[in-house]
Amino acid sequence: IDDVPHRLDMARDISQADFTINFASEDVMEKLQAYAPGGPDCCIDAAGFRFPKSLSHRLQSMLKMETDSMDIIQEMIYNVRKAGHVALIGDYFGYGNQFPIGAFMEKGLTMRGGQAFPQKYWHQLLEFIQSGRVDLSPFITHRMHLSQGDEAFKIFNEYRPDTIKIAIKTDFADEVPQARATVRDWMSQSQSR
């Protein structure tokens, strides 16, 4: 679920998602109900607080009445099946208004949240990447040196349509390996279709 066409295309083509939903042009609840009557077993928010969808939350954020938008959380609670699960792995840091406590309680939902603990898992994850068990290269759209950090952050922060992830190389690291296929390759192929 997104409103950025190239990310939806990538989810379909690279990640092989069964279906995607563009919330700017499609009714999320209607499409989810058609795919999973009664709602999905679990909804996961990997976006976080930065993406208010409603005018109410945009205004509250501008007026400093809340720091974190509840739009995505509300949508998950309304869409997940009764006795389902809601997981928050997106970044939240403060407080939000209009949490649908009634719907949450009446549906008997379980909610869990938390950030990754890289201190615990980085050795295992690095081994997965080095062994080829996990290939992140399709998601790396830019490769830059640490001295270009300001430019890298600017590119990422602007949510440019050609940007997914930026690999940063330091002077102490080997060369950042080139991807076998990049999102840019995929994008140029899909545009030529």
Side-chain angles (χ1 to χ4, degrees):
I1 301 173
D2 208 320
D3 69 338
V4 180
H6 80 273
R7 288 196 300 228
L8 292 167
D9 291 342
M10 192 173 83
R12 276 190 300 274
D13 296 349
I14 294 175
S15 302
Q16 300 176 354
D18 291 339
F19 69 100
T20 61
I21 302 172
N22 184 332
F23 68 78
S25 61
E26 299 176 277
D27 183 293
V28 173
M29 182 174 260
E30 183 179 298
K31 189 136 185 196
L32 281 175
Q33 287 296 320
Y35 187 76
D41 294 335
C42 178
C43 290
I44 303 169
D45 170 17
F49 73 92
R50 292 183 182 89
F51 305 99
K53 294 168 66 177
S54 67
L55 177 60
S56 169
H57 285 288
R58 283 194 295 268
L59 287 172
Q60 288 179 72
S61 182
M62 286 174 24
L63 296 171
K64 308 291 188 226
M65 296 171 66
E66 72 176 0
T67 58
D68 300 0
S69 171
M70 292 286 106
D71 285 329
I72 295 172
I73 295 172
Q74 288 173 344
E75 196 166 72
M76 291 191 313
I77 289 171
Y78 295 143
N79 282 293
V80 73
R81 68 168 170 78
K82 291 179 180 177
H85 304 277
V86 173
L88 307 177
I89 60 172
D91 56 343
Y92 289 90
F93 74 97
Y95 56 92
N97 301 323
Q98 286 85 39
F99 180 85
I101 192 74
F104 179 78
M105 296 298 293
E106 290 299 317
K107 290 179 85 172
L109 304 179
T110 300
M111 180 181 287
R112 296 190 76 170
Q115 298 293 312
F117 295 104
Q119 307 88 328
K120 182 175 181 179
Y121 297 107
W122 78 269
H123 291 282
Q124 181 181 14
L125 296 173
L126 182 60
E127 190 276 319
F128 286 170
I129 294 166
Q130 288 175 330
S131 70
R133 186 171 171 190
V134 173
D135 181 15
L136 301 177
S137 60
F139 304 99
I140 298 172
T141 53
H142 297 72
R143 298 166 190 286
M144 303 174 83
H145 188 270
L146 182 60
S147 63
Q148 300 170 290
D150 289 347
E151 182 184 350
F153 184 78
K154 181 180 179 199
I155 290 168
F156 188 76
N157 200 44
E158 290 175 351
Y159 300 103
R160 294 180 185 176
D162 69 335
T163 305
I164 301 295
K165 294 292 179 190
I166 301 173
I168 302 290
K169 178 192 177 296
T170 68
D171 291 333
F172 305 103
D174 294 332
E175 189 62 34
V176 176
Q178 291 300 308
R180 290 186 285 282
T182 67
V183 172
R184 285 186 184 174
D185 297 333
W186 168 81
M187 289 171 71
S188 64
Q189 291 171 0
S190 64
Q191 290 171 352
S192 64
R193 289 182 209 160

